[in-house]
Amino acid sequence: MPFEKFDRSRLNILPLDERIHDVDLEKVLLYPGKDLPEYDHPALDPLAEAVVKARREYDAAVLLMYGAHVIRTGNGLYMIELMKRGLVTHFATNGAGSIHDFELALKGHTCESVAKYISEGQFGLWKETGMINDIIVQGSKDGLGWGESVGRYIWENNFPYREKSVLAMGYHLQVPCTVHIGIGNDIINEHPNADGAAMGTCSYNDFLIYAKTIENLEHGVFLNFGSAVAGPEVYLKALAMARNVAKQEGRSITDFKTAVFDLQGIKDSDNYSATPPKTDPRYYFRPWKTILARTVADGGESFYVCGEHNKTLPNLAAKVFEADEKYSQGI
């Protein structure tokens, strides 16, 4: 006998207009050329130069992986500008990142108080957000990934804030934006129309798109902003696949830069190019051992930047724009 399952038809799903939103798009959105928070770090200049060199000299991949917090703190327009200029060739996020992107594009608002709504039994149960499930079903039928499915829907249905959506602009500009989910991790998994098979198909399509990008990482740059689990784990498996094929073809994927931007404290005195010992709790901080140490051990170089994402990402982007302009002028 199969185990008894939760009956999702019993759920009460409310419209988003009845939710108290914690984030307003226009209040948090940072505009390139206008909003540049004060921040500096010695890693920003060499990283900016590495990004420009990767793109202009080698046509190599520059991949930016980000957690949901990066979107909800207003970095979307900087990311889109990097996309427009061809300086980042692939964006990747988790399921929550796609949900915040969708809600902001549709309503200009996102985020709810977990403490308030989990107490009321309403956390995550909002009608419009559940539309993503139907979008994913259609995307799986069309052979698309999660990111392109959601981006296509936002763009083609002319959402009010579509030009401020990373996923929509990725679809419009044909820059891959992939979404890497975990079943049960996201609020849309609660909804009656959630289809696990379609979710798995779309996100796995995105994983294969991601792995194809990683094949072009030689001389490239991998940037991880605030993704503590999906970022390092998806990158690790994709790199294993890409290196397996490269080895068979007589190539290598070893000469590239990686960077972790996070709030986790790693002191400048720490040797983050080496994996912490298992006796150190930071051994279990995946971005360190995976992105900063193990995957660049054969010839790459890594950087760690600590700070709030609405300061670090805009300042890195500004440095990249400046470095690119100097490169184009032969400086």
Side-chain angles (χ1 to χ4, degrees):
M1 290 290 292
F3 292 111
E4 189 176 0
K5 298 177 184 176
F6 184 90
D7 180 5
R8 296 175 295 175
S9 68
R10 298 156 57 207
L11 292 168
N12 180 33
I13 315 292
L14 298 179
L16 272 175
D17 287 342
E18 293 187 23
R19 187 177 82 182
I20 299 171
H21 307 280
D22 292 345
V23 173
D24 181 281
L25 179 64
E26 294 300 340
K27 290 181 180 177
V28 301
L29 201 62
L30 300 166
Y31 288 80
K34 296 181 180 179
D35 303 310
L36 189 62
E38 289 188 14
Y39 183 85
D40 197 16
H41 191 282
L44 296 184
D45 283 317
L47 274 171
E49 291 169 8
V51 167
V52 172
K53 188 174 183 179
R55 296 300 305 129
R56 304 312 184 202
E57 294 187 16
Y58 295 107
D59 193 26
V62 176
L63 195 155
L64 194 159
M65 187 111 192
Y66 60 97
H69 189 65
V70 174
I71 285 294
R72 66 178 187 241
T73 51
N75 293 293
L77 290 184
Y78 274 96
M79 297 162 74
I80 290 166
E81 189 62 26
L82 288 164
M83 184 189 300
K84 287 179 176 178
R85 299 191 190 196
L87 293 165
V88 172
T89 63
H90 189 135
F91 292 84
T93 190
N94 55 15
S98 71
I99 291 169
H100 288 309
D101 192 288
F102 181 86
E103 290 184 349
L104 286 170
L106 177 64
K107 292 289 188 179
H109 306 285
T110 193
C111 291
E112 58 188 304
S113 167
V114 178
K116 171 180 170 60
Y117 288 114
I118 196 64
S119 179
E120 296 177 6
Q122 199 60 48
F123 174 63
L125 297 167
W126 312 103
K127 290 182 179 178
E128 294 89 339
T129 310
M131 292 165 56
I132 296 174
N133 288 323
D134 296 327
I135 293 167
I136 294 308
V137 169
Q138 187 59 53
S140 69
K141 293 176 180 177
D142 295 340
L144 303 181
W146 188 296
E148 187 173 7
S149 299
V150 176
R152 176 180 70 171
Y153 192 89
I154 294 170
W155 187 264
E156 294 188 352
N157 286 276
N158 200 25
F159 278 24
Y161 305 97
R162 68 176 186 172
E163 293 187 5
K164 297 170 182 176
S165 158
V166 173
L167 298 184
M169 291 302 293
Y171 169 75
H172 178 59
L173 298 171
Q174 287 299 283
V175 173
C177 296
T178 54
V179 177
H180 307 271
I181 69 161
I183 298 295
N185 287 358
D186 300 309
I187 60 174
I188 58 174
N189 298 157
E190 304 171 37
H191 289 238
N193 64 339
D195 185 324
M199 289 177 171
T201 295
C202 275
S203 194
Y204 193 73
N205 285 342
D206 270 352
F207 174 63
L208 297 180
I209 294 167
Y210 183 104
K212 183 62 179 177
T213 292
I214 293 292
E215 279 200 87
N216 194 35
L217 190 59
E218 181 72 355
H219 308 307
V221 180
F222 176 74
L223 306 168
N224 187 81
F225 279 85
S227 183
V229 179
E233 293 302 330
V234 173
Y235 157 72
L236 181 66
K237 280 70 174 186
L239 181 61
M241 295 163 68
R243 281 180 168 169
N244 181 284
V245 172
K247 183 178 180 181
Q248 296 178 64
E249 297 174 348
R251 299 183 294 107
S252 63
I253 306 175
T254 56
D255 179 21
F256 58 87
K257 306 286 194 296
T258 66
V260 171
F261 292 76
D262 209 280
L263 300 176
Q264 174 75 25
I266 298 178
K267 300 190 298 289
D268 291 339
S269 59
D270 287 324
N271 178 21
Y272 55 72
S273 63
T275 304
K278 289 186 178 181
T279 53
D280 187 333
R282 294 175 300 178
Y283 173 84
Y284 300 97
F285 179 52
R286 290 174 176 85
W288 185 339
K289 65 182 179 182
T290 298
I291 300 173
L292 298 177
R294 290 174 174 172
T295 58
V296 293
D298 301 301
E301 184 180 8
S302 64
F303 301 85
Y304 178 75
V305 180
C306 183
E308 297 175 13
H309 302 309
N310 58 356
K311 294 180 180 178
T312 59
L313 195 151
N315 277 280
L316 174 65
K319 296 277 191 182
V320 171
F321 300 149
E322 181 182 2
D324 192 43
E325 288 171 5
K326 288 181 179 179
Y327 183 88
S328 66
Q329 296 168 8
I331 300 175

